[in-house]
Amino acid sequence: QVGNRDDSNLYINMKLKAAAEIGISANHIKLPNTATEADVLKCIASLNADPAVHGFIVQLPLDSNTPINTEKITNAVAPEKDVDGLSSINAGKLSRGDLGDCFIPCTPKGCMELIRQTGVQVAGKRAVVIGRSKIVGAPMHDLLLWNNATVTTCHSKTSTLAEEVGKADILVVAAGRAEMVKGEWIKPGAIVIDCGINHVPDSTKASGKRVVGDVAYSSAKEKASFITPVPGGVGPMTVAMLMQSTVESAQRFLEKFQPGKWTIQYNQLALKMPVPSDIEISQSCMPKPIDQVAKEVGLFPDEVELYGQTKAKVQLSVLKRLQNQPDGKYVVVTGITPTPLGEGKSTTTVGLVQALGAHLHQNVFACVRQPSQGPTFGIKGGAAGGGYCQVVPMEEFNLHLTGDIHAITAANNLVAAAIDARIFHELTQSDQALYNRLVPSVNGVRKFSDIQIRRLQKLGINKTDPMALTKEEVNAFVRLDIDPGTITWQRVLDTNDRFLRKITIGQSVTEKGFSRTAQFDITVSSEIMAVLALADGLDDMKKRFGRMVVACSKKGQPVTADDLGVTGALAVLMKDAIKPNLMQTLEGTPVFVHAGPFANIAHGNSSVLADKIALKLVGKDGFVVTEAGFGADIGMEKFFNIKCRYSGLRPHVVVLVATVRALKMHGGGPAVTAGVPLPKEYTEENLQLVAKGCSNLNKQIQNARMFGVPVVVAVNAFKTDTKAELALVVQHAKEAGAFDAVECTHWAEGGKGALALARAVQRASQAPSNFRFLYNVELPVVDKIRLIAQQVYGARDIELLPEAQEKVALYTKQGFGNLPICMAKTHLSLSHDPEQKGAPTGFVLPIRDIRASVGAGFLYPLVGTMSTMPGLPTRPCFYDIDLDPVSGGVNGLF
């Protein structure tokens, strides 16, 4: 409502009362008479976007001091919420007879209901409507016409009005003129519906006037078979129809967003042979607008933040809305121990969801990691999949996406800056000077911030008055006393830069000689990335940030981000990054791209939140397919023991990707090197190498089955593979205990090439899954490491080097001994030696060091040397990457 007209207030109160009586939650939004057209449109836009509002009306007339275009206002109401039926779209649908797909204005709808209540058949009757307003006359004409009456519309300028009225079996009057229709005009036995509300002088009334209709009631009732009184006739029916339309709107909304089968427009692939480059395929595809994808999977408009036409962020509030929705089937894609070229896990993940969705019409989501820009411009290239199985647009996927990695870079480096700044200030100031700056007096008042209160509580100081602390307490509060030699937190950059692996910081004269040796890591190795991937909400993420240990004090106590006072700022920097990114595959199935932690020093899996939201959206019969980094001994083991432990989710199926190429390597084939042509052993049939290399496949199948989950082996076929080689792999996989094993040609054929895999996954998801963890986190650190080494890798035992032994003692003392284990070892072998292929046994696994990601929630033993800052090769990928200045298109990505 705009303004404060008495008649409008009366009508609104009637509607609110009726809504309350039947249990509709109704609200009255009242704008002042100073409201502008823009104010009203803004209010309407908000209501259109609110999924909690099923219908609303604009009370007319708009009583504003400024000009407002009523037509523009009524047409701004979303047609699906226009329960008054006044928008041009609803009027147009009514005029062409689409009565089941529109809202009908409430007064005409009420009139039709009154006519139906008489029991008289409308079909074949002559009907006369007097009045042609958009609210009553015109829609009344259409309603009667589409109910098969012969309709004549009259108005105040009709010269033969009495004659036309006399022909009417059904007469509806909405002219707005008091008692203009005389009783003697009416055909005997006619049905008369009087919509008029007029005031005429009446000295007998206290108000000096009375309400009459457009029909002379006293004389008309003598001739009509049915006639509505005024007041008390059409008015209450109009209100009742408004309530009915609102209920219909809610029912339509629930049917439309009912969890169940999605209605998705899938994209048809135009397959070509030979298969073009990845970016050619990606750019030949016209992705659907991302808001359409969001709508197709049941997301509400206010749950989606658009980042252009092809990517969006999804609000975490969807989890609360769908909290009672059962989860779908949870599938993890992993692989055998790969060659340096990779064996196609990402491609298989995309191919599988395209097959399940576009070909078998199942609700399905892919959940994948966001790639670092380091490999994109280095040697490996992007990670959007490949061939006809890609997340698109691949250039958006592989580059900035929505800025999550940049947010992680900023947050990580804020912590790094805070560490060195704190050391500097503590070295150059007294306790009191530090205290005065940390807890400054503002307008004569000193106050601890919330994070400082937490630090006091951690120190056992239960005081909130800054003036009440003793000198000893001030000293404990202001002195973190960080030991520079224990700092584990490094600066990060999302670029491969070998010259940042070891640097000296603090060389400016302004730092007064307080320099130290440090390093840069690549952004995706930051603990903040691992926290993002494992957090199950904003509050959990913030708590994990606060627990991150960045160094130790000189007394050996852990120093956390909370101690530095930076936790809240980190949460602010990451508040958007925590929302999963929505994209799509080439064939139009939905994808969440979210988080991309390292698979060695971290757990190498996409986010818990993306999986949880996707599992709710697909519903109990749908599928969520996610990918674990590296081989099953690394990514899958961490998926189970770390990610599933924290998320509480339980997997239904493991898809194990194998290639003839990798099996030949494990069977003793020559070294495979990125950027170097494959030796002939890999391009010619060699069943002996394949058979011998199946030892690795057998072991990885055993690893998956160890966790109690059915395994489907996807044999990713390359054009150089022979039928005999592929058949041999399938046979070995089944003999090793796989639920099923199938050949896949999805790289060249898209989802069609993964249909056999999709059907096998469907069957496997119905099989019993007795998921279990490998170890109890309460076990001693060494025992947990030994279990992984012996059970998963095939080691005889482990050997802790002195530094690792010291860390076991330290972390146990600090209370971190009950964290899960995240092994950091080479992905090129089941052992610690990348040259040992197949399934080696009897080796002793050396543990060089152990480090802690306390915020993320794991300890990571280092098996050998792990590089956390890649370097650029002689010829990086960026030589081929360019921008077309005419089209704005990106060329050369792969």
Side-chain angles (χ1 to χ4, degrees):
Q1 179 187 9
V2 177
N4 195 37
R5 284 175 58 120
D6 289 339
D7 54 351
S8 290
N9 290 335
L10 177 64
Y11 298 146
I12 289 168
N13 286 334
M14 288 171 56
K15 294 163 186 172
L16 291 173
K17 182 181 178 183
E21 286 176 355
I22 63 173
I24 291 177
S25 174
N27 296 305
H28 180 195
I29 299 174
K30 195 169 188 177
L31 302 178
N33 59 10
T34 56
T36 64
E37 184 175 276
D39 294 332
V40 181
L41 289 172
K42 183 178 179 182
C43 183
I44 289 173
S46 173
L47 295 170
N48 284 340
D50 188 349
V53 175
H54 299 116
F56 64 98
I57 66 171
V58 178
Q59 183 65 42
L60 301 177
L62 298 165
D63 179 26
S64 175
N65 296 337
T66 61
I68 296 181
N69 184 330
T70 301
E71 182 84 359
K72 187 174 181 180
I73 295 300
T74 54
N75 280 326
V77 179
E80 66 272 16
K81 295 189 178 186
D82 176 28
V83 290
D84 239 354
L86 300 183
S87 70
S88 296
I89 290 177
N90 278 318
K93 287 182 176 181
L94 173 59
S95 70
R96 70 184 191 187
D98 296 336
L99 305 188
D101 189 35
C102 70
F103 284 112
I104 299 165
C106 299
T107 298
K109 188 176 182 181
C111 293
M112 282 302 299
E113 184 60 31
L114 288 167
I115 293 168
R116 287 192 191 96
Q117 293 292 330
T118 68
V120 174
Q121 291 293 319
V122 174
K125 298 293 190 293
R126 290 185 66 89
V128 172
V129 178
I130 302 177
R132 52 187 172 180
S133 75
K134 296 177 183 178
I135 296 176
V136 182
M140 193 71 236
H141 171 280
D142 293 336
L143 265 179
L144 287 163
L145 181 65
W146 292 112
N147 278 276
N148 301 308
T150 301
V151 188
T152 301
T153 296
C154 301
H155 43 78
S156 59
K157 299 292 190 294
T158 302
S159 58
T160 57
L161 186 60
E163 181 182 338
E164 295 296 337
V165 169
K167 298 175 184 176
D169 301 312
I170 299 169
L171 176 64
V172 180
V173 188
R177 294 178 61 178
E179 298 182 329
M180 70 173 289
V181 175
K182 310 306 178 185
E184 57 268 24
W185 297 359
I186 295 171
K187 179 180 179 179
I191 298 170
V192 179
I193 307 294
D194 188 351
C195 302
I197 298 178
N198 309 282
H199 294 89
V200 297
D202 187 340
S203 58
T204 65
K205 301 292 184 182
S207 63
K209 57 186 179 182
R210 62 189 171 89
V211 176
V212 298
D214 291 353
V215 178
Y217 180 79
S218 58
S219 57
K221 72 178 182 178
E222 302 300 326
K223 299 190 72 174
S225 59
F226 296 92
I227 185 170
T228 56
V230 177
V234 171
M237 203 63 181
T238 298
V239 175
M241 292 301 103
L242 175 62
M243 300 300 109
Q244 186 182 78
S245 291
T246 304
V247 171
E248 287 174 4
S249 177
Q251 288 173 330
R252 291 178 190 177
F253 175 85
L254 290 173
E255 288 170 7
K256 186 176 181 182
F257 291 100
Q258 183 92 16
K261 283 287 183 185
W262 296 337
T263 302
I264 289 190
Q265 172 193 324
Y266 295 110
N267 298 330
Q268 294 288 323
L269 296 178
L271 302 177
K272 293 181 180 179
M273 289 299 288
V275 177
S277 70
D278 290 350
I279 197 162
E280 284 181 77
I281 294 171
S282 175
Q283 292 179 344
S284 70
C285 162
M286 180 61 70
K288 295 177 289 187
I290 201 64
D291 56 342
Q292 178 185 333
V293 177
K295 189 176 182 181
E296 288 174 342
V297 302
L299 289 166
F300 294 163
D302 69 331
E303 293 171 338
V304 180
E305 298 173 10
L306 302 180
Y307 281 64
Q309 292 293 310
T310 56
K311 52 191 177 181
K313 280 197 165 291
V314 174
Q315 297 276 6
L316 305 188
S317 58
V318 69
L319 276 173
K320 183 176 181 182
R321 174 172 67 85
L322 298 176
Q323 61 186 336
N324 296 321
Q325 164 93 323
D327 289 346
K329 305 291 187 182
Y330 197 25
V331 180
V332 60
V333 176
T334 185
I336 63 171
T337 305
T339 68
L341 305 179
E343 309 318 307
K345 293 193 308 296
S346 298
T347 306
T348 302
T349 298
V350 176
L352 174 57
V353 297
Q354 289 182 166
L356 284 166
H359 297 268
L360 297 180
H361 305 292
Q362 301 294 306
N363 293 1
V364 62
F365 241 105
C367 291
V368 300
R369 290 182 292 169
Q370 179 183 355
S372 164
Q373 285 180 183
T376 300
F377 292 107
I379 192 169
K380 181 177 178 291
Y388 287 102
C389 297
Q390 295 185 54
V391 179
V392 291
M394 66 95 79
E395 56 268 46
E396 297 284 351
F397 176 90
N398 284 312
L399 298 176
H400 304 286
L401 197 57
T402 57
D404 294 352
I405 290 181
H406 300 314
I408 292 166
T409 302
N412 182 98
N413 292 345
L414 179 63
V415 177
I419 293 167
D420 288 304
R422 187 58 176 262
I423 293 172
F424 173 80
H425 291 308
E426 288 189 22
L427 287 171
T428 56
Q429 297 179 56
S430 67
D431 288 358
Q432 194 58 48
L434 279 169
Y435 193 59
N436 290 343
R437 288 180 171 87
L438 287 170
V439 193
S441 175
V442 180
N443 297 324
V445 178
R446 299 183 76 175
K447 183 181 178 182
F448 291 119
S449 66
D450 289 344
I451 200 165
Q452 289 176 325
I453 293 288
R454 290 205 298 272
R455 171 149 174 81
L456 288 168
Q457 291 170 345
K458 179 179 177 180
L459 293 169
I461 303 171
N462 297 313
K463 296 178 181 179
T464 57
D465 180 2
M467 305 304 294
L469 268 63
T470 66
K471 284 186 178 182
E472 291 76 15
E473 289 170 338
V474 167
N475 174 267
F477 175 74
V478 302
R479 298 284 171 189
L480 298 182
D481 202 24
I482 294 171
D483 179 354
T486 67
I487 295 173
T488 55
W489 196 271
Q490 311 299 343
R491 288 163 173 81
V492 298
L493 187 71
D494 197 36
T495 301
N496 290 4
D497 191 343
R498 67 178 66 248
F499 284 92
L500 294 177
R501 290 170 177 168
K502 188 173 184 179
I503 60 172
T504 302
I505 60 173
Q507 291 188 316
S508 170
V509 294
T510 56
E511 274 52 73
K512 303 177 182 179
F514 297 109
S515 64
R516 68 179 181 89
T517 301
Q519 69 185 59
F520 269 81
D521 294 336
I522 198 158
T523 298
V524 292
S525 71
S526 169
E527 185 175 352
I528 289 178
M529 175 65 92
V531 167
L532 175 68
L534 288 169
D536 69 359
L538 274 168
D539 185 57
D540 183 48
M541 180 178 73
K542 186 176 173 182
K543 288 176 179 175
R544 287 173 182 269
F545 284 159
R547 294 196 297 265
M548 293 188 306
V549 174
V550 301
C552 288
S553 71
K554 290 173 182 173
K555 293 181 179 178
Q557 295 300 311
V559 177
T560 66
D562 234 25
D563 293 326
L564 288 168
V566 76
T567 304
L570 297 180
V572 169
L573 284 171
M574 294 292 293
K575 68 181 178 63
D576 293 317
I578 196 173
K579 304 166 191 172
N581 304 297
L582 179 65
M583 295 187 76
Q584 62 192 291
T585 67
L586 281 168
E587 296 191 49
T589 58
V591 181
F592 274 139
V593 185
H594 199 217
F598 254 30
N600 47 30
I601 67 165
H603 63 293
N605 286 265
S606 58
S607 79
V608 165
L609 279 169
D611 290 1
K612 285 190 170 183
I613 293 173
L615 284 163
K616 293 297 182 188
L617 287 170
V618 300
K620 69 181 179 68
D621 296 321
F623 291 83
V624 170
V625 181
T626 190
E627 177 195 342
F630 293 155
D633 55 308
I634 299 179
M636 183 197 71
E637 181 269 317
K638 295 174 184 180
F639 172 82
F640 289 146
N641 282 322
I642 299 176
K643 185 177 181 180
C644 291
R645 195 184 298 271
Y646 281 121
S647 70
L649 300 174
R650 297 295 179 261
H652 294 81
V653 184
V654 170
V655 172
L656 185 70
V657 179
T659 63
V660 167
R661 176 178 68 194
L663 293 173
K664 285 181 175 179
M665 178 191 72
H666 287 296
V672 176
T673 306
V676 177
L678 286 170
K680 64 180 179 61
E681 286 85 351
Y682 296 99
T683 57
E684 298 175 358
E685 184 176 283
N686 192 321
L687 297 177
Q688 185 178 357
L689 281 181
V690 174
K692 188 177 178 184
C694 280
S695 61
N696 186 271
L697 172 64
N698 296 351
K699 175 57 179 167
Q700 298 290 31
I701 291 171
Q702 291 171 19
N703 283 341
R705 294 186 67 202
M706 186 190 310
F707 291 90
V709 184
V711 184
V712 175
V713 172
V715 186
N716 188 15
F718 296 167
K719 62 182 180 181
T720 55
D721 299 340
T722 67
K723 288 185 177 181
E725 288 174 332
L726 294 168
L728 182 61
V729 178
V730 168
Q731 177 190 338
H732 269 278
K734 292 179 179 178
E735 290 173 354
F739 177 89
D740 202 352
V742 295
E743 298 173 27
C744 302
T745 54
H746 46 275
W747 180 81
E749 297 183 302
K752 176 185 173 185
L755 269 171
L757 174 62
R759 292 190 177 104
V761 167
Q762 281 183 304
R763 294 192 302 273
S765 72
Q766 303 300 321
S769 175
N770 302 308
F771 176 71
R772 54 189 173 270
F773 298 120
L774 178 63
Y775 56 81
N776 187 324
V777 289
E778 302 295 326
L779 288 173
V781 173
V782 174
D783 289 355
K784 288 182 284 193
I785 296 172
R786 182 177 286 109
L787 270 171
I788 295 171
Q790 292 178 335
Q791 298 295 315
V792 179
Y793 306 155
R796 177 170 56 81
D797 203 352
I798 61 173
E799 178 188 9
L800 268 67
L801 301 183
E803 194 170 357
Q805 293 175 18
E806 291 172 10
K807 292 292 181 63
V808 169
L810 175 66
Y811 294 144
T812 303
K813 179 182 176 183
Q814 291 178 337
F816 307 141
N818 290 341
L819 292 175
I821 299 299
C822 182
M823 299 291 286
K825 79 166 186 72
T826 178
H827 63 291
L828 298 174
S829 171
L830 281 163
S831 75
H832 56 286
D833 181 0
E835 300 304 316
Q836 286 195 46
K837 305 302 181 182
T841 58
F843 58 91
V844 175
L845 192 75
I847 310 299
R848 179 175 64 82
D849 193 6
I850 301 176
R851 295 177 186 165
S853 288
V854 178
F858 52 74
L859 301 178
Y860 59 99
L862 298 176
V863 181
T865 302
M866 291 292 124
S867 174
T868 51
M869 172 53 83
L872 290 172
T874 305
R875 193 186 190 283
C877 298
F878 60 62
Y879 275 89
D880 301 311
I881 297 171
D882 201 359
L883 184 73
D884 185 326
V886 177
S887 68
V890 175
N891 299 320
L893 277 178
F894 71 94

